[in-house]
Amino acid sequence: GLCALPSGNHFASCGVDGSLRVWNSRFKALEAKFQFSSKQTSLAVSDSGGLLALGSSEGVLRMFSIVDGGAGEPCLCFRARLHEAPISLLAFSPSGLQLAS
């Protein structure tokens, strides 16, 4: 998965290698990396830019708080196994208060 962060200079990516990465597109540099034991299959950012959602092949949902539009390192604020199957799509509501998985 790939999504642009609200700063305009950052984006996040996730993949089958189990990683979540935050990139600075302006400087073409990796700014943060998280490694997980399972494949990461989906990614979404709230319109307000305060939350980043990450879904895994094991049905685990992780939520990260992001500051400065993605310029700071994300902080894990929620983790739960919500599904028995992989999470293939994540989407925030326009208000950013609800997340569909």
Side-chain angles (χ1 to χ4, degrees):
L2 180 69
C3 66
L5 300 180
S7 71
N9 293 322
H10 293 84
F11 64 94
S13 65
C14 70
V16 296
D17 65 350
S19 69
L20 167 65
R21 293 180 167 99
V22 178
W23 302 88
N24 183 316
S25 57
R26 184 174 177 197
F27 297 110
K28 299 180 177 92
L30 178 64
E31 291 197 348
K33 180 180 177 186
F34 299 86
Q35 193 65 46
F36 304 102
S37 60
S38 61
K39 298 175 185 177
Q40 302 306 300
T41 54
S42 56
L43 191 61
V45 65
S46 64
D47 286 345
S48 68
L51 291 173
L52 180 69
L54 178 67
S56 81
S57 62
E58 302 295 320
V60 174
L61 174 69
R62 291 178 176 87
M63 300 283 289
F64 294 83
S65 63
I66 52 178
V67 295
D68 299 330
E73 184 168 325
C75 179
L76 182 65
C77 57
F78 176 84
R79 182 200 178 280
R81 184 167 187 207
L82 300 178
H83 301 281
E84 296 296 319
I87 298 175
S88 58
L89 183 64
L90 292 168
F92 279 96
S93 65
S95 69
L97 297 176
Q98 297 173 324
L99 176 69
S101 63

